[in-house]
Amino acid sequence: MKSNRKIEHSFYARPDVLQIAQELLGKVLVSFQDGMLTSGMIVECEAYTGEQDKAAHVYGGKRTKRTEKMYGDAGHAYIYFCYGIHHLINVVTHSKGVPHAVLLRALEPVEGIDIMMARRKKLKLDYTLTRGPGSLCQAMGIHTRQNGVSLLGDDIWIEDRGIVIPEKEITCGPRIGVDYAGADALLPYRFWIKNNKYVSKAPKPKSKIKES
DNA sequence: CGACCGATCGTCT
DNA sequence: GACGATCGGTCGA
């Protein structure tokens, strides 16, 4: 599928992954699979800041077959399989050899909602359709077999449709599901659009953590 | 509500 | 052989 609003390489190739993560809010993830187009606005994501980030798969320079795509050039997708059930998609940023990435955690559905509902086996449209990284991949038909696809290509890409999220509507807080990361689990590297119903509900913090 | 638990399998130790 | 950057269901208050 061609698109003239596709975000280009220079957006992903910047060094500040926290900035990129914030800017991804309001952008539209588009997937063209099996002749079917689906899309959704990114409303929640998390930044992973490379080899010194204890929550990242590449922590300590763990460059393995699984994490190899994180070390590739910016503007590609790192898609991996988790908990034996779910596929999760990351946007690789920075530059070749520097494994930064943004995990896409939730979308607000835009196009192909009926297709997404069928993939998710949902009879009613509600926030569970594309809330959570595993759910959004299932809805968009994203699978680990597409690990490493270019986001500049015609299968999966991100568009700028001119939606601007005012800074006061962006909130940040600790990332989800990374309790094993010690102090790094507390870093405010998760970003979301305030009051958007498709955003994950954070689990109860083990210790007092302030959001915003 | 919140807490808990089972599903399910590729990857790394 | 253990363990996830999860999800959805159940159970009890």
Side-chain angles (χ1 to χ4, degrees):
Chain A
M1 287 297 280
K2 76 171 199 182
S3 156
N4 49 16
R5 298 175 286 198
K6 196 175 289 178
I7 289 177
E8 45 193 290
H9 181 260
S10 58
F11 177 92
Y12 303 107
R14 293 174 294 160
D16 188 348
V17 67
L18 298 177
Q19 176 70 25
I20 294 171
Q22 288 178 68
E23 290 182 19
L24 280 172
L25 297 176
K27 301 292 189 290
V28 176
L29 178 69
V30 188
S31 152
F32 188 65
Q33 310 291 327
D34 309 315
M36 296 180 286
L37 187 126
T38 51
S39 70
M41 182 177 75
I42 299 168
V43 300
E44 178 189 2
C45 61
E46 288 177 356
Y48 288 81
T49 61
E51 295 182 335
Q52 65 292 327
D53 181 351
K54 290 194 176 72
H57 290 160
V58 294
Y59 174 59
K62 207 161 104 170
R63 184 168 185 164
T64 65
K65 180 162 191 182
R66 176 214 199 193
T67 62
E68 188 58 29
K69 299 299 180 189
M70 288 260 282
Y71 286 87
D73 193 14
H76 290 252
Y78 166 50
I79 302 169
Y80 74 98
F81 190 56
C82 187
Y83 292 108
I85 302 183
H86 305 290
H87 305 263
L88 276 65
I89 182 169
N90 290 255
V91 172
V92 176
T93 69
H94 208 291
S95 53
K96 202 174 281 188
V98 184
H100 289 192
V102 178
L103 170 69
L104 303 183
R105 289 197 56 90
L107 305 176
E108 181 174 309
V110 175
E111 293 155 292
I113 292 177
D114 51 336
I115 298 164
M116 295 195 255
M117 288 174 63
R119 287 183 181 136
R120 296 269 297 127
K121 300 185 173 30
K122 295 281 184 190
L123 300 177
K124 286 192 299 189
L125 171 61
D126 65 13
Y127 60 82
T128 62
L129 185 66
T130 49
R131 181 176 77 165
S135 299
L136 84 83
C137 281
Q138 188 179 30
M140 302 282 288
I142 293 170
H143 189 278
T144 52
R145 67 175 147 261
Q146 299 152 76
N147 185 25
V149 292
S150 171
L151 299 174
L152 313 177
D154 299 326
D155 299 308
I156 302 171
W157 66 94
I158 301 176
E159 294 187 0
D160 184 346
R161 298 193 179 179
I163 303 165
V164 178
I165 311 298
E167 201 165 320
K168 62 177 169 53
E169 287 180 28
I170 297 180
T171 312
C172 65
R175 293 170 290 187
I176 292 178
V178 295
D179 292 340
Y180 55 83
D184 287 358
L186 304 181
L187 295 170
Y189 286 178
R190 172 175 168 248
F191 301 91
W192 66 92
I193 297 177
K194 202 180 286 183
N195 298 327
N196 186 289
K197 61 186 171 182
Y198 287 90
V199 171
S200 317
K201 199 171 54 127
K204 219 176 200 147
K206 300 247 154 71
S207 54
K208 309 274 182 191
I209 297 168
K210 246 221 175 102
E211 280 185 357
S212 132

